[in-house]
Amino acid sequence: MDHPPELTAEAPRVWDRPVVSVPVLICLSLVGGQLPSFSTAANLYILGTGGGLIWVGLSNRVPRRPAPRRLSSAALWWLLPVTVFGVFEGATFVLSVGDEFPTFSRLADPLLEDHLARSAAWFAWLAAFWGLVRR
Amino acid sequence: MMRALAIGGFLTAVLLFAAVEWAARREGSRIPSLADVCAFVMRYEVGPVPVGRIGLFGFWWWLGWHFLAR
């Protein structure tokens, strides 16, 4: 029996629900968190997961949430944290004096050596990537 | 001293990111959330090429590779 279009709604696909996507992201993160920096496995794994998400995001396989057509001038507030971060990252990178005045990634490296913290970082990266794919 | 300055600077930036996102999520806020800003950037296309989408995906992939694979 056909329903008028205004009464029908597209049901989310099974794999598109948080009850499925969150455990999948957790599993991927736990695997990623075990792979050490500079290893071939880590490079291949991030190439695979990121490449897969880029492929899904550029195809029209996932329903996307509507994007705003324009932004108000209040969006300029975002320049404040971006500028502060950019100034410090730029200064630490250009001066390049190591641990005396470290870049953000140099500060993050010791924290990411712990497997649990590394898995959490993997989860944050994958979850944000999944969020981007769906926008 | 310089190390503390760097840590303080990056912490300030992180706190500012959180503060602006918090302000954006308040009811009636005119500030768009970071997700809305990203979605707006991803709308940018040159002809049939989704330049904004490719650019943001590429940046995010590079960020993950930089921190998690090297």
Side-chain angles (χ1 to χ4, degrees):
Chain A
M1 180 179 153
D2 289 338
H3 294 284
E6 64 271 15
L7 293 180
T8 58
E10 194 177 329
R13 295 170 188 167
V14 172
W15 50 267
D16 197 24
R17 295 175 184 156
V19 73
V20 175
S21 59
V22 171
V24 169
L25 294 180
I26 289 174
C27 289
L28 290 171
S29 307
L30 289 173
V31 173
Q34 303 303 311
L35 305 174
S37 288
F38 297 103
S39 66
T40 305
N43 277 283
L44 289 175
Y45 193 68
I46 206 151
L47 199 65
T49 51
L53 283 167
I54 289 174
W55 178 72
V56 172
L58 291 179
S59 62
N60 289 319
R61 292 168 187 277
V62 179
R64 295 176 190 164
R65 295 170 66 187
R69 291 199 166 272
R70 52 180 308 196
L71 296 179
S72 70
S73 58
L76 292 174
W77 275 103
W78 282 107
L79 288 179
L80 182 63
V82 169
T83 304
V84 171
F85 185 87
V87 164
F88 277 91
E89 183 66 6
T92 52
F93 184 79
V94 168
L95 290 176
S96 191
V97 288
D99 285 338
E100 277 291 300
F101 194 45
T103 58
F104 187 75
S105 52
R106 190 178 272 267
L107 281 172
D109 278 346
L111 302 175
L112 292 174
E113 280 176 13
D114 176 66
H115 288 309
L116 195 60
R118 200 172 181 79
S119 290
W122 261 96
F123 182 78
W125 180 73
L126 283 170
F129 215 146
W130 182 236
L132 285 177
V133 163
R134 303 192 66 233
R135 293 305 297 240
Chain B
M1 175 65 185
M2 291 293 278
R3 183 178 171 84
L5 180 68
I7 292 171
F10 288 126
L11 267 179
T12 303
V14 170
L15 289 175
L16 283 171
F17 271 109
V20 177
E21 181 67 23
W22 173 78
R25 287 174 184 235
R26 291 176 69 191
E27 203 170 324
S29 174
R30 288 183 63 242
I31 304 173
S33 67
L34 186 58
D36 281 341
V37 174
C38 290
F40 180 76
V41 170
M42 286 198 293
R43 281 175 59 94
Y44 181 67
E45 293 180 347
V46 176
V49 183
V51 175
R53 210 164 174 78
I54 293 171
L56 210 57
F57 286 167
F59 169 72
W60 196 249
W61 181 83
W62 173 84
L63 206 68
W65 175 76
H66 180 68
F67 281 98
L68 302 169
R70 63 171 295 276

